Amino acid sequence: MLCTRHATKDHWVDHTAIIATNGQLATPYAKTAHGLIRGSSRYEILGVIDSPTAGKDAGEVLDGVHRAVPIFASLQAACAGLDRKPGNYIIGYAAPGGQLPEAYRGGIVEALEAGLTVVSGMHQFLSEDPEFAEAARKSGAAIYDVRKRKAPLHFWNGTVLSVGVPRLAVLGTDCAVGKRTTARILVETCLRHNLRAEFISTGQTGWLQGARHGFILDATLNDFVCGELEHAIVSAAAERALDLLVLEGQSALRHPAGPCGAEFIVSGGARAVILQHAPGRSHFEGYEKFGLRIPPVSEEIQLIRLLGAQTLAIALNGERLSPAALRKEQARLAEETGVPVVLPLEDGLDALVPQIRSFLSEEAAA
């Protein structure tokens, strides 16, 4: 029998959650799920719904690391197999356009009828869908659209110029390439080395993971993007003494469907960049049919320099490459660019601590 819960208007009463990926867990389109599987301070992830990989551990499917997050074929199977019933049903899908695939609808209705809060980071607001709204009304369940704006927007006013905390942006050469993951690993690394760092989230997944400061860039009116970035930086710097602010980049500087990145340098004052790259990709993900090739990393470094920042390191995403091929690319790019090249998931980022300290010293002396 399908699990049911006592309905509540406040879905924060229960932080337990199950993630729905509908067969896409092993693809880049489940990047929201990937982030939550790796860690979240906002939700306790009890499991994942993904029928092709059911019976496995989600962490092992993701990157070979066991995380005790079981995968189930359906919500009914999850409720039967878990010791606790989840309070939230999170859509783990994120793809260009942010529209809900038809295959997810049945699971969402099922979750709402069971009284679970449905949490979505899609551009398409599920709370405005008549079928979902009716299912929620009947059961007393809630629908939480993360991208719906819930506070006044801020316009850039220059207050960021007086913030003395150095900023580093993790930018990328493509979408869904690992920018958020590298940014979070960097913050965790800094904290271990007694550097007071804070993560500034700019996407829905960062919020779902529990980021304390940030905004959702691609859900913000264009005129206010720079102001929201500034507000997040100023707020974080005012909250406590910090050595470094790490800004999560979005898209890529020359991505034709959504060029982004200059804001973090020009408006956010980031003077250092870690450039995230997937050498196993030749074209922008999802746009291969147009022949749109990812620009050379060396050109992106030049562009970043012209915008006003230095590239401290290149971080590689090893998708589609064997371990040996990934190491070969690491060595090749280091020789070609003269910039340190790191593998965040394979090796961590401890090797970058000397570069970070040197950057902070430079900023202090400026």
Side-chain angles (χ1 to χ4, degrees), residues 16-33:
T16 57
I18 194 157
I19 307 169
T21 56
N22 284 53
Q24 296 172 309
L25 178 60
T27 76
Y29 298 125
K31 66 177 185 177
T32 293

PDB file of all heavy atoms in Angstrom, residues 16-33:
ATOM      1  N   THR A  16      12.789  15.090   5.421  1.00  0.00           N
ATOM      2  CA  THR A  16      13.138  13.874   4.705  1.00  0.00           C
ATOM      3  C   THR A  16      12.607  13.950   3.277  1.00  0.00           C
ATOM      4  O   THR A  16      11.559  14.545   3.017  1.00  0.00           O
ATOM      5  CB  THR A  16      12.557  12.636   5.397  1.00  0.00           C
ATOM      6  OG1 THR A  16      11.137  12.778   5.497  1.00  0.00           O
ATOM      7  CG2 THR A  16      13.170  12.460   6.786  1.00  0.00           C
ATOM      8  N   ALA A  17      13.346  13.337   2.350  1.00  0.00           N
ATOM      9  CA  ALA A  17      12.947  13.464   0.951  1.00  0.00           C
ATOM     10  C   ALA A  17      13.376  12.259   0.136  1.00  0.00           C
ATOM     11  O   ALA A  17      14.333  11.554   0.473  1.00  0.00           O
ATOM     12  CB  ALA A  17      13.554  14.724   0.347  1.00  0.00           C
ATOM     13  N   ILE A  18      12.635  12.052  -0.937  1.00  0.00           N
ATOM     14  CA  ILE A  18      13.013  11.095  -1.963  1.00  0.00           C
ATOM     15  C   ILE A  18      13.090  11.863  -3.277  1.00  0.00           C
ATOM     16  O   ILE A  18      12.344  12.816  -3.495  1.00  0.00           O
ATOM     17  CB  ILE A  18      12.021   9.920  -2.043  1.00  0.00           C
ATOM     18  CG1 ILE A  18      12.607   8.786  -2.873  1.00  0.00           C
ATOM     19  CG2 ILE A  18      10.657  10.354  -2.560  1.00  0.00           C
ATOM     20  CD1 ILE A  18      12.003   7.435  -2.562  1.00  0.00           C
ATOM     21  N   ILE A  19      14.036  11.484  -4.134  1.00  0.00           N
ATOM     22  CA  ILE A  19      14.277  12.205  -5.382  1.00  0.00           C
ATOM     23  C   ILE A  19      13.763  11.377  -6.553  1.00  0.00           C
ATOM     24  O   ILE A  19      14.031  10.175  -6.646  1.00  0.00           O
ATOM     25  CB  ILE A  19      15.772  12.475  -5.587  1.00  0.00           C
ATOM     26  CG1 ILE A  19      16.379  13.161  -4.367  1.00  0.00           C
ATOM     27  CG2 ILE A  19      15.998  13.318  -6.833  1.00  0.00           C
ATOM     28  CD1 ILE A  19      17.901  13.219  -4.412  1.00  0.00           C
ATOM     29  N   ALA A  20      13.035  12.009  -7.461  1.00  0.00           N
ATOM     30  CA  ALA A  20      12.548  11.338  -8.664  1.00  0.00           C
ATOM     31  C   ALA A  20      13.412  11.724  -9.859  1.00  0.00           C
ATOM     32  O   ALA A  20      13.576  12.911 -10.155  1.00  0.00           O
ATOM     33  CB  ALA A  20      11.096  11.717  -8.930  1.00  0.00           C
ATOM     34  N   THR A  21      13.966  10.715 -10.536  1.00  0.00           N
ATOM     35  CA  THR A  21      14.761  10.981 -11.742  1.00  0.00           C
ATOM     36  C   THR A  21      14.231  10.247 -12.970  1.00  0.00           C
ATOM     37  O   THR A  21      14.705  10.495 -14.084  1.00  0.00           O
ATOM     38  CB  THR A  21      16.241  10.602 -11.521  1.00  0.00           C
ATOM     39  OG1 THR A  21      16.323   9.244 -11.112  1.00  0.00           O
ATOM     40  CG2 THR A  21      16.866  11.488 -10.466  1.00  0.00           C
ATOM     41  N   ASN A  22      13.298   9.338 -12.787  1.00  0.00           N
ATOM     42  CA  ASN A  22      12.581   8.696 -13.903  1.00  0.00           C
ATOM     43  C   ASN A  22      13.494   8.176 -15.006  1.00  0.00           C
ATOM     44  O   ASN A  22      13.331   8.506 -16.187  1.00  0.00           O
ATOM     45  CB  ASN A  22      11.552   9.662 -14.503  1.00  0.00           C
ATOM     46  CG  ASN A  22      10.323   9.792 -13.643  1.00  0.00           C
ATOM     47  OD1 ASN A  22      10.433  10.075 -12.445  1.00  0.00           O
ATOM     48  ND2 ASN A  22       9.148   9.598 -14.208  1.00  0.00           N
ATOM     49  N   GLY A  23      14.495   7.405 -14.631  1.00  0.00           N
ATOM     50  CA  GLY A  23      15.358   6.777 -15.614  1.00  0.00           C
ATOM     51  C   GLY A  23      16.507   7.626 -16.098  1.00  0.00           C
ATOM     52  O   GLY A  23      17.260   7.200 -16.982  1.00  0.00           O
ATOM     53  N   GLN A  24      16.670   8.828 -15.514  1.00  0.00           N
ATOM     54  CA  GLN A  24      17.713   9.731 -16.000  1.00  0.00           C
ATOM     55  C   GLN A  24      18.841   9.948 -14.995  1.00  0.00           C
ATOM     56  O   GLN A  24      19.684  10.821 -15.186  1.00  0.00           O
ATOM     57  CB  GLN A  24      17.080  11.087 -16.350  1.00  0.00           C
ATOM     58  CG  GLN A  24      16.092  10.979 -17.498  1.00  0.00           C
ATOM     59  CD  GLN A  24      15.315  12.266 -17.722  1.00  0.00           C
ATOM     60  OE1 GLN A  24      14.746  12.825 -16.794  1.00  0.00           O
ATOM     61  NE2 GLN A  24      15.309  12.733 -18.948  1.00  0.00           N
ATOM     62  N   LEU A  25      18.881   9.125 -13.956  1.00  0.00           N
ATOM     63  CA  LEU A  25      19.887   9.326 -12.914  1.00  0.00           C
ATOM     64  C   LEU A  25      21.301   9.306 -13.471  1.00  0.00           C
ATOM     65  O   LEU A  25      22.156  10.078 -13.030  1.00  0.00           O
ATOM     66  CB  LEU A  25      19.741   8.253 -11.829  1.00  0.00           C
ATOM     67  CG  LEU A  25      20.760   8.315 -10.686  1.00  0.00           C
ATOM     68  CD1 LEU A  25      20.671   9.647  -9.946  1.00  0.00           C
ATOM     69  CD2 LEU A  25      20.561   7.149  -9.721  1.00  0.00           C
ATOM     70  N   ALA A  26      21.578   8.452 -14.431  1.00  0.00           N
ATOM     71  CA  ALA A  26      22.932   8.310 -14.955  1.00  0.00           C
ATOM     72  C   ALA A  26      23.243   9.289 -16.084  1.00  0.00           C
ATOM     73  O   ALA A  26      24.242   9.130 -16.777  1.00  0.00           O
ATOM     74  CB  ALA A  26      23.154   6.878 -15.436  1.00  0.00           C
ATOM     75  N   THR A  27      22.401  10.317 -16.260  1.00  0.00           N
ATOM     76  CA  THR A  27      22.617  11.306 -17.323  1.00  0.00           C
ATOM     77  C   THR A  27      22.874  12.688 -16.723  1.00  0.00           C
ATOM     78  O   THR A  27      22.525  12.947 -15.562  1.00  0.00           O
ATOM     79  CB  THR A  27      21.388  11.391 -18.242  1.00  0.00           C
ATOM     80  OG1 THR A  27      20.340  12.132 -17.566  1.00  0.00           O
ATOM     81  CG2 THR A  27      20.868  10.018 -18.606  1.00  0.00           C
ATOM     82  N   PRO A  28      23.463  13.604 -17.500  1.00  0.00           N
ATOM     83  CA  PRO A  28      23.683  14.968 -17.002  1.00  0.00           C
ATOM     84  C   PRO A  28      22.398  15.705 -16.656  1.00  0.00           C
ATOM     85  O   PRO A  28      22.421  16.684 -15.915  1.00  0.00           O
ATOM     86  CB  PRO A  28      24.404  15.661 -18.170  1.00  0.00           C
ATOM     87  CG  PRO A  28      25.017  14.549 -18.954  1.00  0.00           C
ATOM     88  CD  PRO A  28      24.070  13.399 -18.829  1.00  0.00           C
ATOM     89  N   TYR A  29      21.249  15.241 -17.194  1.00  0.00           N
ATOM     90  CA  TYR A  29      19.989  15.924 -16.950  1.00  0.00           C
ATOM     91  C   TYR A  29      19.458  15.722 -15.532  1.00  0.00           C
ATOM     92  O   TYR A  29      18.480  16.363 -15.141  1.00  0.00           O
ATOM     93  CB  TYR A  29      18.939  15.471 -17.968  1.00  0.00           C
ATOM     94  CG  TYR A  29      19.326  15.811 -19.391  1.00  0.00           C
ATOM     95  CD1 TYR A  29      19.377  14.829 -20.368  1.00  0.00           C
ATOM     96  CD2 TYR A  29      19.675  17.118 -19.741  1.00  0.00           C
ATOM     97  CE1 TYR A  29      19.747  15.141 -21.676  1.00  0.00           C
ATOM     98  CE2 TYR A  29      20.045  17.432 -21.042  1.00  0.00           C
ATOM     99  CZ  TYR A  29      20.086  16.443 -22.003  1.00  0.00           C
ATOM    100  OH  TYR A  29      20.467  16.760 -23.271  1.00  0.00           O
ATOM    101  N   ALA A  30      20.100  14.855 -14.774  1.00  0.00           N
ATOM    102  CA  ALA A  30      19.705  14.656 -13.378  1.00  0.00           C
ATOM    103  C   ALA A  30      20.671  15.370 -12.443  1.00  0.00           C
ATOM    104  O   ALA A  30      20.906  14.936 -11.319  1.00  0.00           O
ATOM    105  CB  ALA A  30      19.651  13.173 -13.052  1.00  0.00           C
ATOM    106  N   LYS A  31      21.216  16.500 -12.881  1.00  0.00           N
ATOM    107  CA  LYS A  31      22.246  17.169 -12.085  1.00  0.00           C
ATOM    108  C   LYS A  31      21.707  17.668 -10.750  1.00  0.00           C
ATOM    109  O   LYS A  31      22.462  17.756  -9.776  1.00  0.00           O
ATOM    110  CB  LYS A  31      22.889  18.312 -12.860  1.00  0.00           C
ATOM    111  CG  LYS A  31      21.982  19.484 -13.187  1.00  0.00           C
ATOM    112  CD  LYS A  31      22.769  20.572 -13.899  1.00  0.00           C
ATOM    113  CE  LYS A  31      21.920  21.818 -14.135  1.00  0.00           C
ATOM    114  NZ  LYS A  31      22.692  22.908 -14.766  1.00  0.00           N
ATOM    115  N   THR A  32      20.417  17.995 -10.663  1.00  0.00           N
ATOM    116  CA  THR A  32      19.840  18.366  -9.372  1.00  0.00           C
ATOM    117  C   THR A  32      19.900  17.178  -8.417  1.00  0.00           C
ATOM    118  O   THR A  32      20.287  17.308  -7.252  1.00  0.00           O
ATOM    119  CB  THR A  32      18.387  18.844  -9.544  1.00  0.00           C
ATOM    120  OG1 THR A  32      18.395  20.080 -10.277  1.00  0.00           O
ATOM    121  CG2 THR A  32      17.722  19.080  -8.194  1.00  0.00           C
ATOM    122  N   ALA A  33      19.549  16.014  -8.917  1.00  0.00           N
ATOM    123  CA  ALA A  33      19.646  14.805  -8.098  1.00  0.00           C
ATOM    124  C   ALA A  33      21.094  14.533  -7.706  1.00  0.00           C
ATOM    125  O   ALA A  33      21.382  14.170  -6.562  1.00  0.00           O
ATOM    126  CB  ALA A  33      19.077  13.613  -8.864  1.00  0.00           C
TER     127      ALA A  33
END
